[in-house]
Amino acid sequence: MGATITDNTFAFKGRVPITFGPARLDNQVYELPHRFPSDQMEQVHRLVVSKLRTDSTIDQSNRGALVPLVREFIDLQGLTYNMPDRIAFAEQVVDEIVGYGPLEPLLADERITDISVNGPNNVFIIHQGMWRKVDLTIRNDEHLRHIIQRLVSESGTGRRVDDSSPMVDTRLQDGSRVNVVLPPVSPFPTISLRKFPKNRMTAHDLLRLHSATPWMLEFLQDAVRARLNIVISGGTGSGKTTLLGIIAQSIPNYEKIITIEDPRELLLTQDIVVPLETRPPNMEGAGEITVMSLVRNALRQNPDRIIVGEVRDASAFYMLRAMNS
């Protein structure tokens, strides 16, 4: 079968042409719930926060308790909205107090897999497998930095991001991966968020999507059961962790597994699993725990299996050493 190359397009005769190079951004704008005027929301937000500071009996983490309080201040401000709009207005203000502000609808939508915030005026998502522009504006850099600080501080990983440490990788409580870059490394604050799916892919999903054949999966499962060393490689977002999680389910339940990740993503269902996670240095530059040190430590824990989530540096030497142990 012959092949032709024209400009940046490669095609076999009789086949659909494959175009190399970046795919174009889909101009279709993702529809978001109506956002209320920012000046009204800021005013009500300030009043509610002031009330919370003076009244310790109000549980700030309880959305159910905050919504009626916000609606009271909506009335006090003389905002004449109908009942559905008053409820929606209150929900958006509560998102600013206990959530991630205007990003909350994007985080709640299970159809969205990735969120990219490039400064306060440029928000994009991956929806139906394609990047799409979102008609969403964050008030200013200060507002965006506030959202970033909440994302990082509430992750529970002990990581930080500020002018002295302008880059961070962390995760949300649900496992979603977050990368943040601040000026001067980037000209504006950025967030790259890959959402953690509530329903993890299974071997059946790979077959349904024609991403694997039964023979391929059987081979990989046999390789795992035979205790062979396996390296999974691929580009960003190609599904390395997804495939790792699927084939790791073939590990017998009676074996001791140690996982080493930066940050933690794998959720294995076996009984004896020890998840280890790296840690960045503290403000004094001490206390860093690297993949390399965790691999060394794992060798002393008498594991049956060691799973290293990602290898980027000198830890590859210790991973190879572990493979030979």
Side-chain angles (χ1 to χ4, degrees):
M1 181 178 292
T4 59
I5 298 178
T6 305
D7 297 329
N8 66 335
T9 300
F10 177 82
F12 287 103
K13 290 182 179 178
R15 300 289 183 89
V16 176
I18 302 173
T19 301
F20 294 93
R24 294 187 177 182
L25 183 72
D26 190 343
N27 291 324
Q28 177 183 347
V29 176
Y30 178 83
E31 293 295 332
L32 277 170
H34 170 67
R35 296 289 297 178
F36 295 90
S38 58
D39 57 338
Q40 296 180 1
M41 291 185 59
E42 283 186 71
Q43 182 63 25
V44 173
H45 179 268
R46 282 196 296 268
L47 293 172
V48 175
V49 170
S50 177
K51 175 69 172 177
L52 293 175
R53 287 172 180 164
T54 57
D55 192 343
S56 59
T57 64
I58 302 174
D59 184 3
Q60 298 189 36
S61 63
N62 187 345
R63 294 184 67 94
L66 287 176
V67 170
L69 178 63
V70 174
R71 288 168 61 181
E72 287 181 24
F73 282 105
I74 292 174
D75 294 335
L76 289 174
Q77 290 297 107
L79 302 177
T80 56
Y81 288 115
N82 59 32
M83 182 58 69
D85 283 345
R86 289 175 71 237
I87 295 173
F89 188 108
E91 289 285 350
Q92 291 183 19
V93 173
V94 172
D95 286 341
E96 294 286 351
I97 297 172
V98 299
Y100 304 117
L103 299 185
E104 279 290 333
L106 306 181
L107 290 166
D109 192 333
E110 296 182 13
R111 299 170 299 172
I112 296 173
T113 58
D114 289 71
I115 302 170
S116 180
V117 182
N118 307 329
N121 299 316
N122 291 290
V123 181
F124 304 88
I125 60 170
I126 291 184
H127 176 248
Q128 296 179 341
M130 184 173 292
W131 283 107
R132 303 176 190 273
K133 171 76 172 178
V134 179
D135 188 16
L136 175 67
T137 299
I138 298 171
R139 287 197 300 272
N140 47 43
D141 274 10
E142 182 181 359
H143 187 200
L144 179 53
R145 282 176 176 263
H146 175 76
I147 295 172
I148 287 172
Q149 290 300 332
R150 175 157 286 169
L151 283 167
V152 175
S153 63
E154 294 185 0
S155 66
T157 60
R159 304 184 183 222
R160 65 185 180 88
V161 62
D162 50 37
D163 292 340
S164 62
S165 181
M167 298 185 296
V168 68
D169 279 305
T170 187
R171 56 177 167 77
L172 302 184
Q173 293 291 342
D174 67 356
S176 298
R177 180 189 290 183
V178 180
N179 174 272
V180 171
V181 181
L182 297 181
V185 178
S186 170
F188 38 72
T190 69
I191 303 171
S192 299
L193 193 151
R194 178 170 298 169
K195 291 173 60 178
F196 184 90
K198 291 184 178 179
N199 298 314
R200 281 296 181 114
M201 288 189 69
T202 65
H204 176 74
D205 292 321
L206 292 184
L207 296 175
R208 178 176 55 83
L209 296 170
H210 304 290
S211 297
T213 65
W215 181 89
M216 292 166 59
L217 291 177
E218 184 178 353
F219 172 81
L220 290 172
Q221 290 167 351
D222 287 344
V224 171
R225 297 188 188 104
R227 302 171 63 85
L228 300 180
N229 294 323
I230 299 174
V231 175
I232 300 174
S233 65
T236 299
S238 59
K240 299 184 297 295
T241 303
T242 297
L243 179 60
L244 175 58
I246 289 172
I247 67 174
Q249 297 305 317
S250 300
I251 299 175
N253 197 49
Y254 53 80
E255 293 188 353
K256 180 178 180 180
I257 307 168
I258 296 179
T259 64
I260 298 169
E261 297 182 274
D262 175 26
R264 183 185 173 194
E265 291 183 281
L266 287 172
L267 289 177
L268 303 184
T269 58
Q270 286 86 346
D271 288 340
I272 317 173
V273 180
V274 181
L276 303 179
E277 187 173 21
T278 62
R279 187 178 69 186
N282 58 25
M283 297 186 66
E284 290 74 33
E288 181 180 15
I289 299 176
T290 65
V291 171
M292 187 162 52
S293 63
L294 291 177
V295 171
R296 283 200 304 264
N297 183 276
L299 292 173
R300 304 186 184 106
Q301 296 187 43
N302 191 30
D304 295 294
R305 310 272 185 159
I306 297 176
I307 298 176
V308 182
E310 203 156 356
V311 179
R312 307 185 186 94
D313 48 30
S315 58
F317 170 78
Y318 287 92
M319 185 189 71
L320 293 172
R321 178 181 167 187
M323 284 181 168
N324 291 322
S325 66

